[in-house]
Amino acid sequence: ECASKPCMTPSSAQEAGNKHANGDPQTILIKKGLLAVGAFFVVMFFMGGFTSHDNGSDANLIVNGVRQRVTKPPHGTQMGQSQIDNILKALGPDGNLLVWGLGNDSPFWHDCTKGRVVFFEDDIPQEKYGVLWYDVITKKYPFLEAYKLHYSTQTKDSFNTYIDASTDVLKADLDLSNQLPEDVQSVKWDVIIVDAPQGSWNTGPGRYQSIYTSYSLAQKHGSKYIFIDDYERKVERKFSLKVFGKEPVQVLSR
């Protein structure tokens, strides 16, 4: 995840499915080799995870009573420089950033803008250790603004339920806005990164709710850029096409 736990090695990019026409505002999706500019918001699809290994000691470095800003991702961040550059360019120096996922690279994202940065993480304990990843990361980096969310879907079982579902069903089942603080719901997020929850095993929640809620927030407040990671996977690819209504123009690989 953009932030967090170990990810699976990505497979090669696959062609997207057919276009889905709907009445939503224009969306621009990105596919390898081309970059387009659109009227509403840009959806950039990434191949591969953003996970970073544990190398976050510099994030808590205090000099003269002031925590020093993190200016580069930690060692082991599974994200190419071109992907980072695309996000930072879209965000600008003072944009607001919403990130689905927490991890050792979260301090970098926290410090990459003067705007507000918020992180979401699931409330599912790690099976082996019985601890919440949210608790691990927020204890390690207490300056992060992060919130726990509960997901109600499953990667495999929910696919057939939602891939052809009506707009009303998607909104009723997948919009997590009611779990968000009001002051998070009301912000115009200049960039949203969807890289959580993990969708690499069939019984995990998958990203139906994070993708749909990101789309809903973007529509509501005019957010312009949404970056969706792990586009080579079935849910991220096909469900994104359904929600955003167009096949990608480009996939940004690592």
Side-chain angles (χ1 to χ4, degrees):
E1 297 181 26
C2 179
S4 45
K5 312 155 194 173
C7 294
M8 297 178 65
T9 302
S11 59
S12 59
Q14 300 179 16
E15 289 301 317
N18 295 328
K19 293 183 178 179
H20 296 266
N22 59 31
D24 294 334
Q26 179 179 357
T27 62
I28 305 300
L29 311 182
I30 297 183
K31 192 172 186 177
K32 191 171 184 179
L34 299 173
L35 178 62
V37 178
F40 183 55
F41 53 82
V42 177
V43 180
M44 298 188 179
F45 288 145
F46 283 173
M47 300 288 288
F50 299 169
T51 300
S52 61
H53 299 295
D54 187 352
N55 188 27
S57 58
D58 289 347
N60 292 312
L61 180 62
I62 305 295
V63 177
N64 295 327
V66 178
R67 186 185 66 83
Q68 300 303 288
R69 296 181 68 84
V70 178
T71 58
K72 60 182 180 180
H75 173 72
T77 299
Q78 297 180 16
M79 180 180 183
Q81 189 60 47
S82 64
Q83 295 175 328
I84 295 173
D85 290 345
N86 270 284
I87 291 179
L88 297 181
K89 181 178 179 180
L91 184 61
D94 56 3
N96 296 318
L97 174 63
L98 181 64
V99 183
W100 296 79
L102 267 177
N104 290 302
D105 55 351
S106 296
F108 167 74
W109 296 113
H110 176 275
D111 290 350
C112 73
T113 175
K114 295 178 181 177
R116 186 177 179 187
V117 182
V118 167
F119 300 90
F120 296 146
E121 183 60 42
D122 63 60
D123 62 357
I124 302 171
Q126 294 181 6
E127 182 177 353
K128 183 176 180 180
Y129 302 107
V131 297
L132 290 177
W133 184 248
Y134 171 92
D135 294 336
V136 172
I137 295 300
T138 55
K139 180 179 180 180
K140 188 173 183 178
Y141 309 115
F143 53 87
L144 300 176
E145 182 181 359
Y147 301 96
K148 287 183 288 188
L149 296 178
H150 181 74
Y151 298 100
S152 58
T153 57
Q154 288 196 335
T155 303
K156 182 178 180 180
D157 292 346
S158 296
F159 184 81
N160 289 335
T161 301
Y162 296 117
I163 196 62
D164 293 318
S166 68
T167 300
D168 289 342
V169 169
L170 295 181
K171 181 172 179 57
D173 289 4
L174 303 181
D175 194 343
L176 298 180
S177 296
N178 62 349
Q179 294 189 38
L180 310 183
E182 289 187 9
D183 65 334
V184 172
Q185 295 183 51
S186 62
V187 172
K188 177 183 177 181
W189 299 103
D190 298 286
V191 169
I192 301 174
I193 300 175
V194 179
D195 194 27
Q198 281 196 339
S200 55
W201 67 87
N202 288 336
T203 58
R207 296 181 182 167
Y208 304 98
Q209 290 171 297
S210 54
I211 289 171
Y212 184 82
T213 304
S214 295
Y215 173 75
S216 179
L217 290 172
Q219 279 196 313
K220 187 180 299 183
H221 299 296
S223 302
K224 189 175 182 182
Y225 295 95
I226 300 177
F227 293 80
I228 299 178
D229 190 27
D230 300 310
Y231 177 68
E232 75 278 8
R233 300 192 309 211
K234 179 179 178 180
V235 171
E236 283 80 355
R237 182 176 74 254
K238 293 190 175 183
F239 190 66
S240 292
L241 294 177
K242 175 178 179 61
V243 171
F244 293 104
K246 292 184 179 181
E247 62 182 279
V249 176
Q250 182 178 356
V251 172
L252 302 175
S253 299
R254 282 197 304 235

